[in-house]
Amino acid sequence: MADKETMKTGRQDPKDGKQTGQPKRRGPRQRNHPLRRWRDRLHMTDITVVDKSTLKRAIAGTVVGNFMEWYDVGVYGYLAVTIGKVFLSDASDTIQRLFSLGVFAVTFIARPLGGIVLGQLGDRIGRQKVLAFTLLSMSAATLLIGLLPGYAAVGPLAPVALILLKLLQGFSTGGEYAGASTMVTEYAPDRHRGFFASLLDVGSYFGFAFGAGLVSLLEFNLTPADMQSWGWRIPFVLALPLAAIAVYFRNKVQDTPAFQQAQAATRAKTQSEQKGFLDLIREYWRELILAFILVAAANTLGYTLTTYMPTYLSGTLHYNTAEANLLALPVLILVAVCIPITGAISDRFGRKKVLFLGALFGLTLAIPAFKLLERDTTGAVFGGLVLLAIPVIFFVANLASTLPALFPTAYRYGGMGLSYNLAVAIFGGTAPVIMEALVAATGKPLAPAYWIMFTSACGLVTVLFLAETARRPMPGTLPTVLSQQEARDLVATQDQNPDLDVKNIIKEAEENGVRKTPQMMVAQVKEGLSEAKAHGSADADGQSAGQDGQSPDQSGR
């Protein structure tokens, strides 16, 4: 047995057939340093365990914002004719309708700008701060619209003020969905991200249904004169108490751990290393295009169901306006109920499969849906609306979990803000106009179905180029789970888990500064030693100065 000196120096007696001097260099197969083994594995310290109460607050804070956004869309859409009469009372009916629809389109013109500006801010100063701004500005604009004087009171100032408020609303809305989906997906555990993210769109469709239902209720109980005089203001003024509830929930939410980690990594970079909007386009243009096409396909279907159907049923098929509204409302509620179920299905079977089904249903069900709508029976019309709702459910339920996963943390809000809002502005907001133009040009009520088929076919092809993200960490982040036991199971089974590409996860996390590389740890240790040495030198200088200043009695002389 080697003595202590031998163990210390590694020198041993050659007579015993043991090594002397320095140990032999290890061969290639023996270079299995403990640090390298540690680096190539996921450990408990790498796993983020989501606090359930924090997750609930994050979901509540984001869902109420989406509710408010779509509440306004529902209210304005169902009051469009009345608003035209109030703000251009001296114009013809045609000009009033065109003005009202044009003001609605203004919201979508401002959205891409809001998505770009607020998305960049969200990636720099935090998701929570920007989302607080979007909610407050959206709510304030909605309330002020309800308080505006009409054309009869202030003349041309009335429509100008309405346009300015809708521009503010559109700008704010441009940062709402992108930020809300980014925050929820960053908080959500990997295995349940589809379900939790889909709750955002539950808020959207319930908000739209609530706004539309409130307007329908007022129209049934008030005369047209009362609606035009003061009744139209009620839904807009109600935004105030709804906004107060929403602000309360949103202020309870903090920025996500993923964003905080990315911010820490960003602060460590020099100014020249930090990247901005042009870097987003240059490095992630493929992802931006994929997101754009998916949003275009999904929102063509979504806006057809929510915004265009009342106009199509009343204008093209000559249904009573109130009847058209009441036929659409149950379908919107059905969509809201089914969305989280579909989100959970995508967690189990994958996002690509569910999105593929959404595109396929849009391609194959559009013509049968519009053929049913042409029949002059309530049951047939309701069946046609349900057929249109099926692809909406499969598409919309997965956007909030699929799109943010295309971008790393540092570009996520900005990437979402740009791609989502451009697609909504070009395809979502224009869907009713395009479809109505197709009907007018062809004289065929079936014409809108072909536009849906075209956008759905584009979405179908795009899905084929997507990478599967279900049950996997977000790009550039480490795994997120719902409990400590799930974290232990994940670490123990990481080699057998088909959803974990451990090597790639670690690589991306190190590149984004979320996980420290050995070089970073060595540098941190050296920095700590340097600081300790500097403090030690300062203390020594201080003690020396103190001794030099001692009196003979104090020094013992």
Side-chain angles (χ1 to χ4, degrees):
M1 188 174 184
D3 57 18
K4 291 182 180 179
E5 184 65 19
T6 301
M7 293 174 67
K8 247 168 103 174
T9 63
R11 298 179 180 274
Q12 296 173 340
D13 188 358
K15 292 181 179 179
D16 295 332
K18 296 180 181 178
Q19 180 182 355
T20 61
Q22 296 299 322
K24 289 183 180 177
R25 295 176 64 87
R26 292 183 176 180
R29 294 185 181 179
Q30 293 175 313
R31 292 173 188 166
N32 196 13
H33 194 278
L35 187 59
R36 182 179 296 276
R37 292 199 304 271
W38 175 89
R39 180 185 179 183
D40 294 338
R41 304 284 296 171
L42 289 172
H43 306 277
M44 287 294 292
T45 53
D46 295 321
I47 314 300
T48 299
V49 180
V50 180
D51 179 69
K52 292 181 181 178
S53 61
T54 303
L55 178 61
K56 289 178 182 177
R57 287 196 300 270
I59 292 171
T62 49
V63 167
V64 292
N66 269 24
F67 182 95
M68 283 298 302
E69 175 189 345
W70 280 83
Y71 169 79
D72 173 75
V73 172
V75 166
Y76 189 92
Y78 279 66
L79 284 172
V81 174
T82 302
I83 287 172
K85 293 178 179 179
V86 170
F87 288 92
L88 276 185
S89 54
D90 290 350
S92 66
D93 291 345
T94 302
I95 298 298
Q96 287 174 354
R97 286 195 298 271
L98 288 174
F99 167 77
S100 186
L101 292 173
V103 172
F104 182 73
V106 163
T107 306
F108 294 91
I109 293 172
R111 281 184 71 147
L113 179 62
I116 292 169
V117 174
L118 297 175
Q120 293 297 302
L121 279 175
D123 283 331
R124 289 182 180 275
I125 67 174
R127 286 79 162 104
Q128 195 275 339
K129 293 177 182 177
V130 174
L131 284 173
F133 166 78
T134 60
L135 180 57
L136 287 171
S137 54
M138 279 192 314
S139 305
T142 303
L143 173 64
L144 290 174
I145 287 172
L147 299 177
L148 280 178
Y151 190 90
V154 296
L157 287 177
V160 171
L162 178 63
I163 291 171
L164 290 175
L165 286 174
K166 291 300 288 183
L167 282 171
L168 172 62
Q169 205 168 52
F171 181 86
S172 306
T173 304
E176 175 60 34
Y177 186 83
S181 57
T182 294
M183 177 166 276
V184 169
T185 52
E186 288 181 348
Y187 262 120
D190 299 334
R191 291 178 59 190
H192 308 283
R193 190 181 302 121
F195 170 74
F196 286 118
S198 69
L199 296 177
L200 287 178
D201 290 292
V202 173
S204 300
Y205 278 84
F206 270 126
F208 187 95
F210 182 74
L214 180 60
V215 172
S216 299
L217 184 64
L218 290 171
E219 287 177 338
F220 271 111
N221 289 279
L222 296 176
T223 64
D226 286 339
M227 279 297 296
Q228 188 173 332
S229 175
W230 55 270
W232 71 272
R233 299 181 184 274
I234 294 175
F236 290 101
V237 174
L238 278 178
L240 182 61
L242 291 174
I245 297 170
V247 169
Y248 170 79
F249 281 109
R250 186 154 287 184
N251 284 338
K252 295 287 184 181
V253 185
Q254 296 179 342
D255 269 315
T256 64
F259 173 76
Q260 294 174 11
Q261 292 167 355
Q263 280 295 94
T266 300
R267 284 192 293 269
K269 296 178 181 179
T270 64
Q271 189 68 28
S272 61
E273 291 176 322
Q274 297 182 16
K275 299 182 179 181
F277 178 68
L278 294 179
D279 298 292
L280 165 66
I281 296 176
R282 183 168 53 251
E283 296 183 22
Y284 295 97
W285 61 270
R286 294 178 184 84
E287 289 79 4
L288 289 169
I289 291 173
L290 291 176
F292 178 90
I293 297 174
L294 282 178
V295 174
N299 278 274
T300 296
L301 282 158
Y303 278 85
T304 299
L305 188 64
T306 57
T307 307
Y308 179 58
M309 272 302 108
T311 302
Y312 180 79
L313 293 176
S314 59
T316 304
L317 302 184
H318 308 295
Y319 273 81
N320 178 275
T321 303
E323 291 176 349
N325 293 347
L326 288 178
L327 278 171
L329 281 177
V331 179
L332 296 177
I333 295 172
L334 175 67
V335 171
V337 171
C338 291
I339 278 175
I341 298 172
T342 312
I345 290 173
S346 76
D347 285 327
R348 175 68 177 85
F349 297 102
R351 314 270 188 260
K352 291 187 65 172
K353 292 178 181 177
V354 175
L355 286 170
F356 187 87
L357 285 175
L360 186 63
F361 287 144
L363 189 61
T364 57
L365 296 181
I367 289 179
F370 276 85
K371 281 187 173 294
L372 282 174
L373 291 174
E374 288 178 353
R375 297 188 178 183
D376 193 19
T377 64
T378 302
V381 171
F382 184 78
L385 293 174
V386 170
L387 286 184
L388 282 178
I390 292 173
V392 171
I393 292 169
F394 280 82
F395 248 137
V396 172
N398 283 274
L399 285 187
S401 55
T402 300
L403 301 181
L406 293 173
F407 306 96
T409 308
Y411 291 110
R412 189 164 293 136
Y413 202 154
M416 277 288 296
L418 176 60
S419 58
Y420 183 87
N421 288 294
L422 272 178
V424 169
I426 296 173
F427 287 90
T430 60
V433 177
I434 292 172
M435 292 179 179
E436 192 66 18
L438 288 172
V439 172
T442 63
K444 297 181 179 179
L446 199 62
Y450 297 109
W451 181 246
I452 291 175
M453 292 173 67
F454 168 72
T455 56
S456 296
C458 294
L460 191 72
V461 174
T462 302
V463 171
L464 301 177
F465 291 92
L466 286 177
E468 183 57 69
T469 58
R471 303 178 300 277
R472 293 164 171 78
M474 299 284 278
T477 64
L478 293 163
T480 301
V481 298
L482 204 54
S483 67
Q484 288 286 347
Q485 183 58 51
E486 188 178 348
R488 287 190 287 269
D489 293 342
L490 186 148
V491 171
T493 62
Q494 59 184 285
D495 293 326
Q496 295 81 38
N497 192 330
D499 298 321
L500 289 182
D501 183 353
V502 176
K503 184 178 180 181
N504 191 52
I505 290 171
I506 292 173
K507 178 186 175 184
E508 290 185 353
E510 289 180 348
E511 288 175 350
N512 284 276
V514 176
R515 195 194 205 221
K516 293 178 181 177
T517 63
Q519 292 84 355
M520 293 167 65
M521 288 186 285
V522 169
Q524 188 175 22
V525 171
K526 287 181 177 179
E527 184 179 352
L529 291 174
S530 299
E531 290 178 0
K533 186 176 180 181
H535 286 308
S537 299
D539 293 340
D541 291 342
Q543 290 175 2
S544 174
Q547 289 175 358
D548 291 342
Q550 285 180 341
S551 65
D553 291 335
Q554 290 173 322
S555 62
R557 292 176 185 171

